[in-house]
Amino acid sequence: MPDPGLTRLTAVAMSDRLRAGDLSSRELVDAHLARAERENPALNAWLVIDEAGARGAADEADARLAQARRNGAEALAVLHPLCGVPVGLKDLVSVRGGQCTAGSRILAGYVSPYDAHITERLRAAGAVILGKLNMDEFAMGSSTEHSAYGPAANPWDLGRVPGGSSGGSAASVAAGHVPLSIGTDTGGSVRQPAALTGVVGMKPTYGRVSRYGIVAFASSLDQVGPFGRTARDAAMLLHAIAGRDARDSTSAPRPVPEDLLHLPASDDEAAAGLRGFRLGLPREYFVAGMEAGVEARIREAVAALAAAGAEIVDVSLPHTDYGLATYYIVAPAEASANLARYDGIRFGHAVRGGDVLANYVATRGSGFGPEVKRRIMLGTYALSAGYYDAYYLKAQKVRTLIKADFDAAFGSGIDALVAPVSPFVAWPFGARLDDPVAMYLADVCTLPVNMAGLPGMSIPAGLSDGLPVGLQLIGPAWSELALFRLARAYEAITAGAAWRGTEPSGLAALRAQEVGVP
Ligand code: GLN
């Protein structure tokens, strides 16, 4: 029986023990597989758990680690710290020979013929891919309820959503099925589920991570990002996947900071970084309808940062209000073009028996769910002759104004912005499903960051009514390292908070029956 205690370690601790040789990747992977297999019927976080593939990759990682240990300290130092560490992938990341459903029936049965760039990078690092994670269909949604494979649950309360669209990625990390996972964020889909499940999630700068081999939703907004339970863990994963890839012309030739692997381990050193740091608090992000408990946690977090030496400056991002409306023109417009390729001929699901047009209509009619159809209709409408100027072009102009707001704030000497992620904590299944606009409102504080192409992250900032609240950190382009340092500093100054040690409550009953769990 594998030791379930191993699933509580940070990825950094796993990495250290793997290198030291007092833990094998195989033991680590077995412990995580056992936990994932056991709890997935309740969570539905995983669409597929690849036991055989994971065990094979773990054995390879163990061989690499053993060889490096024999060759000495230098050989160990060149191994990426992810070597032997389990990771999960949102089911829109291509893995050669495996499924890639993007949460949609239309990709059922499709097998990826190649690896995504980030899959190649993870394999090269020696990371062990445990399986593929549940998501809203084509990443459209904020609750994972739009998955064609049933919703994922929140580990804090199995009757509530984990957020979305990367709900499975967030839930799996919160539950300890993996220490790290990959999600994508087009309008908030890494940050919002991270907030609702109490983990760290980052959307990097547009262009930081290659989108090659990632199922496209809205190509000018999509970014791949890491989830972890700590800042150091998530930074380690970003380090492995970031960097230029010639196959994605929008991926930037920026060097990836090595210091992503060297965030301070010591709380004192981490907290010292806050002194003199200028944090802007955008007043427009405290939106009408925000839950009082969420606002209280955010204000407390800001006060704690101030008490530790950060300077807090009140700022205004005046076009924030237009973020939601412009996003819901731009993203559906791009989606309608990207999703035209699912025609029953090239990929997965196909309904045949009529002429080409009839097959096409039947394939798409039965293959896409209602939210995807809604987006395609919105997008084709906004792009159609006569409406293009009024909607799409206008939205692009407003997008420029949203970006200019951020430029002005950062240009005035602000190092980073602090804000809420979601106006509300995780909600019960069904509560927003019949009202698309109520669902869209979940991302009102995250969408502007995608419109501007900036890095943003969510870090745990306590509980409201026993459910996690996320604090958002937003920085200028390419400031991921500074954001991670800030996140690490916030962890350090709140290291003693009671909520830090709180386990996701929704799994407590399941785990009470587990033998040997401390
Ligand atoms: N919830 C937003 C949407 O439905 C954002 C999704 C995302 O970031 N992928 O479009």
Side-chain angles (χ1 to χ4, degrees), residues 25 56-66 79 83-85 126-128:
S25 175
D59 291 345
E60 274 173 44
D62 281 330
R64 279 171 76 176
L65 284 156
L79 279 187
C83 189
V85 175
V128 177

PDB file of all heavy atoms in Angstrom, residues 25 56-66 79 83-85 126-128:
ATOM      1  N   SER A  25      10.703   7.737  -7.891  1.00  0.00           N
ATOM      2  CA  SER A  25       9.575   8.292  -8.645  1.00  0.00           C
ATOM      3  C   SER A  25       8.449   7.256  -8.682  1.00  0.00           C
ATOM      4  O   SER A  25       7.274   7.600  -8.631  1.00  0.00           O
ATOM      5  CB  SER A  25      10.030   8.665 -10.048  1.00  0.00           C
ATOM      6  OG  SER A  25       8.945   9.095 -10.813  1.00  0.00           O
ATOM      7  N   GLY A  56       5.690   3.631 -16.440  1.00  0.00           N
ATOM      8  CA  GLY A  56       6.835   3.535 -17.363  1.00  0.00           C
ATOM      9  C   GLY A  56       7.708   4.783 -17.273  1.00  0.00           C
ATOM     10  O   GLY A  56       8.947   4.691 -17.189  1.00  0.00           O
ATOM     11  N   ALA A  57       7.054   5.951 -17.270  1.00  0.00           N
ATOM     12  CA  ALA A  57       7.813   7.206 -17.215  1.00  0.00           C
ATOM     13  C   ALA A  57       8.506   7.348 -15.861  1.00  0.00           C
ATOM     14  O   ALA A  57       9.622   7.889 -15.780  1.00  0.00           O
ATOM     15  CB  ALA A  57       6.880   8.393 -17.466  1.00  0.00           C
ATOM     16  N   ALA A  58       7.869   6.860 -14.794  1.00  0.00           N
ATOM     17  CA  ALA A  58       8.486   6.924 -13.465  1.00  0.00           C
ATOM     18  C   ALA A  58       9.750   6.066 -13.432  1.00  0.00           C
ATOM     19  O   ALA A  58      10.787   6.477 -12.896  1.00  0.00           O
ATOM     20  CB  ALA A  58       7.492   6.460 -12.400  1.00  0.00           C
ATOM     21  N   ASP A  59       9.660   4.870 -14.039  1.00  0.00           N
ATOM     22  CA  ASP A  59      10.836   3.995 -14.051  1.00  0.00           C
ATOM     23  C   ASP A  59      11.981   4.633 -14.847  1.00  0.00           C
ATOM     24  O   ASP A  59      13.145   4.563 -14.446  1.00  0.00           O
ATOM     25  CB  ASP A  59      10.471   2.616 -14.624  1.00  0.00           C
ATOM     26  CG  ASP A  59       9.546   1.839 -13.676  1.00  0.00           C
ATOM     27  OD1 ASP A  59       9.446   2.251 -12.489  1.00  0.00           O
ATOM     28  OD2 ASP A  59       8.917   0.859 -14.115  1.00  0.00           O
ATOM     29  N   GLU A  60      11.618   5.276 -15.957  1.00  0.00           N
ATOM     30  CA  GLU A  60      12.653   5.981 -16.732  1.00  0.00           C
ATOM     31  C   GLU A  60      13.287   7.100 -15.916  1.00  0.00           C
ATOM     32  O   GLU A  60      14.510   7.297 -15.955  1.00  0.00           O
ATOM     33  CB  GLU A  60      12.057   6.600 -17.996  1.00  0.00           C
ATOM     34  CG  GLU A  60      11.998   5.663 -19.175  1.00  0.00           C
ATOM     35  CD  GLU A  60      11.248   6.289 -20.345  1.00  0.00           C
ATOM     36  OE1 GLU A  60      11.475   7.481 -20.643  1.00  0.00           O
ATOM     37  OE2 GLU A  60      10.424   5.573 -20.942  1.00  0.00           O
ATOM     38  N   ALA A  61      12.442   7.851 -15.204  1.00  0.00           N
ATOM     39  CA  ALA A  61      12.970   8.952 -14.383  1.00  0.00           C
ATOM     40  C   ALA A  61      13.884   8.391 -13.295  1.00  0.00           C
ATOM     41  O   ALA A  61      14.958   8.952 -13.020  1.00  0.00           O
ATOM     42  CB  ALA A  61      11.823   9.746 -13.768  1.00  0.00           C
ATOM     43  N   ASP A  62      13.479   7.269 -12.700  1.00  0.00           N
ATOM     44  CA  ASP A  62      14.329   6.660 -11.660  1.00  0.00           C
ATOM     45  C   ASP A  62      15.686   6.247 -12.236  1.00  0.00           C
ATOM     46  O   ASP A  62      16.720   6.413 -11.578  1.00  0.00           O
ATOM     47  CB  ASP A  62      13.614   5.455 -11.025  1.00  0.00           C
ATOM     48  CG  ASP A  62      12.563   5.897 -10.000  1.00  0.00           C
ATOM     49  OD1 ASP A  62      12.755   6.966  -9.379  1.00  0.00           O
ATOM     50  OD2 ASP A  62      11.556   5.188  -9.835  1.00  0.00           O
ATOM     51  N   ALA A  63      15.651   5.735 -13.463  1.00  0.00           N
ATOM     52  CA  ALA A  63      16.916   5.337 -14.093  1.00  0.00           C
ATOM     53  C   ALA A  63      17.797   6.572 -14.341  1.00  0.00           C
ATOM     54  O   ALA A  63      19.016   6.534 -14.107  1.00  0.00           O
ATOM     55  CB  ALA A  63      16.637   4.594 -15.404  1.00  0.00           C
ATOM     56  N   ARG A  64      17.171   7.660 -14.810  1.00  0.00           N
ATOM     57  CA  ARG A  64      17.946   8.884 -15.050  1.00  0.00           C
ATOM     58  C   ARG A  64      18.524   9.431 -13.746  1.00  0.00           C
ATOM     59  O   ARG A  64      19.671   9.884 -13.700  1.00  0.00           O
ATOM     60  CB  ARG A  64      17.057   9.963 -15.681  1.00  0.00           C
ATOM     61  CG  ARG A  64      16.874   9.782 -17.161  1.00  0.00           C
ATOM     62  CD  ARG A  64      15.834  10.730 -17.708  1.00  0.00           C
ATOM     63  NE  ARG A  64      16.310  12.104 -17.845  1.00  0.00           N
ATOM     64  CZ  ARG A  64      15.575  13.088 -18.374  1.00  0.00           C
ATOM     65  NH1 ARG A  64      14.355  12.846 -18.805  1.00  0.00           N
ATOM     66  NH2 ARG A  64      16.079  14.304 -18.475  1.00  0.00           N
ATOM     67  N   LEU A  65      17.717   9.398 -12.698  1.00  0.00           N
ATOM     68  CA  LEU A  65      18.176   9.906 -11.396  1.00  0.00           C
ATOM     69  C   LEU A  65      19.336   9.047 -10.864  1.00  0.00           C
ATOM     70  O   LEU A  65      20.333   9.572 -10.363  1.00  0.00           O
ATOM     71  CB  LEU A  65      17.016   9.921 -10.400  1.00  0.00           C
ATOM     72  CG  LEU A  65      15.997  11.068 -10.600  1.00  0.00           C
ATOM     73  CD1 LEU A  65      14.626  10.701 -10.018  1.00  0.00           C
ATOM     74  CD2 LEU A  65      16.498  12.371  -9.974  1.00  0.00           C
ATOM     75  N   ALA A  66      19.191   7.731 -11.008  1.00  0.00           N
ATOM     76  CA  ALA A  66      20.223   6.828 -10.493  1.00  0.00           C
ATOM     77  C   ALA A  66      21.538   7.039 -11.244  1.00  0.00           C
ATOM     78  O   ALA A  66      22.619   7.113 -10.640  1.00  0.00           O
ATOM     79  CB  ALA A  66      19.756   5.372 -10.622  1.00  0.00           C
ATOM     80  N   LEU A  79      19.983  17.813 -14.294  1.00  0.00           N
ATOM     81  CA  LEU A  79      18.625  17.267 -14.398  1.00  0.00           C
ATOM     82  C   LEU A  79      17.636  18.359 -13.981  1.00  0.00           C
ATOM     83  O   LEU A  79      17.870  19.084 -13.020  1.00  0.00           O
ATOM     84  CB  LEU A  79      18.438  16.084 -13.453  1.00  0.00           C
ATOM     85  CG  LEU A  79      18.940  14.725 -13.878  1.00  0.00           C
ATOM     86  CD1 LEU A  79      18.488  13.681 -12.849  1.00  0.00           C
ATOM     87  CD2 LEU A  79      18.396  14.346 -15.257  1.00  0.00           C
ATOM     88  N   CYS A  83      12.232  16.198 -12.740  1.00  0.00           N
ATOM     89  CA  CYS A  83      12.502  14.790 -13.075  1.00  0.00           C
ATOM     90  C   CYS A  83      11.921  13.866 -12.013  1.00  0.00           C
ATOM     91  O   CYS A  83      12.297  13.944 -10.845  1.00  0.00           O
ATOM     92  CB  CYS A  83      14.008  14.558 -13.235  1.00  0.00           C
ATOM     93  SG  CYS A  83      14.376  12.930 -13.901  1.00  0.00           S
ATOM     94  N   GLY A  84      10.970  13.033 -12.424  1.00  0.00           N
ATOM     95  CA  GLY A  84      10.352  12.070 -11.523  1.00  0.00           C
ATOM     96  C   GLY A  84       9.109  12.578 -10.819  1.00  0.00           C
ATOM     97  O   GLY A  84       8.451  11.825 -10.096  1.00  0.00           O
ATOM     98  N   VAL A  85       8.753  13.858 -11.033  1.00  0.00           N
ATOM     99  CA  VAL A  85       7.615  14.459 -10.327  1.00  0.00           C
ATOM    100  C   VAL A  85       6.334  14.293 -11.167  1.00  0.00           C
ATOM    101  O   VAL A  85       6.352  14.568 -12.372  1.00  0.00           O
ATOM    102  CB  VAL A  85       7.892  15.960 -10.047  1.00  0.00           C
ATOM    103  CG1 VAL A  85       6.686  16.636  -9.420  1.00  0.00           C
ATOM    104  CG2 VAL A  85       9.127  16.113  -9.158  1.00  0.00           C
ATOM    105  N   GLY A 126      11.733  15.090 -17.686  1.00  0.00           N
ATOM    106  CA  GLY A 126      11.580  13.864 -16.903  1.00  0.00           C
ATOM    107  C   GLY A 126      10.338  13.854 -16.031  1.00  0.00           C
ATOM    108  O   GLY A 126      10.161  12.963 -15.191  1.00  0.00           O
ATOM    109  N   ALA A 127       9.439  14.836 -16.244  1.00  0.00           N
ATOM    110  CA  ALA A 127       8.184  14.862 -15.490  1.00  0.00           C
ATOM    111  C   ALA A 127       7.341  13.648 -15.882  1.00  0.00           C
ATOM    112  O   ALA A 127       7.434  13.153 -17.004  1.00  0.00           O
ATOM    113  CB  ALA A 127       7.418  16.138 -15.785  1.00  0.00           C
ATOM    114  N   VAL A 128       6.526  13.169 -14.943  1.00  0.00           N
ATOM    115  CA  VAL A 128       5.717  11.980 -15.187  1.00  0.00           C
ATOM    116  C   VAL A 128       4.256  12.408 -15.389  1.00  0.00           C
ATOM    117  O   VAL A 128       3.626  12.932 -14.467  1.00  0.00           O
ATOM    118  CB  VAL A 128       5.824  11.002 -13.998  1.00  0.00           C
ATOM    119  CG1 VAL A 128       4.923   9.791 -14.226  1.00  0.00           C
ATOM    120  CG2 VAL A 128       7.277  10.570 -13.804  1.00  0.00           C
TER     121      VAL A 128
END
